[in-house]
Amino acid sequence: MGRHEHPEGQLPPGQRLQRGWPVTHYGPVPRFRPERWDFRVFGATAHGARPVWNHDEFSALPYTTVVADFHCVTKFSMTGMEWGGVAAATIARLAPPAEDVTHVMVWAEYGFSSNLRIEDFLDDLTIFATHAGGQPLTAEHGFPVRLVVPRRYAWKGPKWVRGIEYMTADRRGFWEERGYHNLGDPWSEQRYSFQEAPGDGPEL
Ligand SMILES: Nc1nc2c(c(=O)[nH]1)N[C@H]1C(S)=C(S)[C@@H](COP(=O)(O)O)O[C@H]1N2
Ligand SMILES: [Mo]
């Protein structure tokens, strides 16, 4: 089980503690149709493979839990969230990237996306969560699968994930194209794209 060690009682700069778990996203909540649902791995995969898991197969992948804090860029944080699901590193082990992959685009319903550096994707806390607090996710929190990237702001974790694209160069995802920082490290307060240093992300 992964656990995020953070300084006792400390939140990243500019964040405040939130009680309860708000629902935050753009657009409608998609309806889950198990017979149509799949999780695809595409782009620069090792050996050009195109792995795909249906919902039963995805549910049978190795399950792990992570306890970590959750930081929304709109300045609320929740501490000690327990996520259950499939470690992103497990996905990368079962469906490996080609050697020259540097970034991953995580794709969700309705074309929502978020880009991550491969090292952030492979981080020991990054998890494709199916459960929170021991219970299956609710529809509005991302059922059946959402990504959680505790070391990045929460927009880096798409709800209703449908697949990942391995990339050999960086490309901006949905919010990264719309004013949010390409990297999104809450401890460095990387909130907005205007704060990016040269090299933090592709040209806007
Ligand atoms: N598909 C999708 N996932 C998304 C978003 C979104 O707009 N669409 N918003 C993100 C943002 S900004 C946050 S803070 C978290 C919120 O997750 P929650 O609603 O479970 O608290 O989801 C992230 N994942
Ligand atoms: Mo957010």
Side-chain angles (χ1 to χ4, degrees):
M1 164 152 103
R3 186 176 284 273
H4 180 21
E5 302 297 341
H6 61 93
E8 191 63 45
Q10 269 197 44
L11 292 177
Q15 296 295 112
R16 59 186 152 65
L17 197 62
Q18 166 87 36
R19 307 225 172 264
W21 185 6
V23 172
T24 312
H25 59 264
Y26 176 82
V29 174
R31 187 150 62 93
F32 174 56
R33 297 179 186 81
E35 68 289 351
R36 287 210 215 152
W37 189 93
D38 58 15
F39 185 108
R40 293 178 179 273
V41 183
F42 57 100
T45 55
H47 320 298
R50 288 286 174 277
V52 47
W53 290 287
N54 66 28
H55 189 247
D56 286 343
E57 292 163 343
F58 192 91
S59 304
L61 296 179
Y63 185 90
T64 189
T65 61
V66 158
V67 174
D69 299 346
F70 185 88
H71 310 295
C72 175
V73 68
T74 63
K75 301 199 169 178
F76 71 82
S77 290
M78 295 175 290
T79 54
M81 302 281 289
E82 189 201 297
W83 303 102
V86 184
T90 299
I91 297 292
R93 177 169 56 79
L94 298 173
E99 273 175 20
D100 53 349
V101 165
T102 56
H103 293 81
V104 180
M105 191 71 80
V106 181
W107 287 101
E109 301 284 359
Y110 302 134
F112 185 86
S113 61
S114 184
N115 57 317
L116 290 166
R117 300 185 300 194
I118 187 78
E119 57 267 38
D120 297 332
F121 183 79
L122 297 175
D123 186 277
D124 59 345
L125 295 180
T126 303
I127 182 169
F128 287 97
T130 56
H131 290 69
Q135 299 297 316
L137 291 174
T138 58
E140 59 271 26
H141 286 301
F143 183 83
V145 181
R146 70 164 315 152
L147 187 67
V148 182
V149 189
R151 290 192 170 96
R152 294 292 172 258
Y153 284 117
W155 89 75
K156 289 284 189 185
K159 303 192 276 192
W160 315 295
V161 172
R162 291 293 302 275
I164 62 169
E165 177 187 359
Y166 289 130
M167 306 194 293
T168 56
D170 201 3
R171 227 164 67 219
R172 290 175 187 269
F174 183 89
W175 288 120
E176 295 82 2
E177 274 186 336
R178 290 169 175 78
Y180 285 125
H181 197 287
N182 191 55
L183 299 176
D185 176 1
W187 296 95
S188 314
E189 230 180 330
Q190 294 174 331
R191 295 182 193 274
Y192 309 113
S193 51
F194 70 77
Q195 300 169 315
E196 287 175 17
D200 283 350
E203 292 286 304
L204 265 166

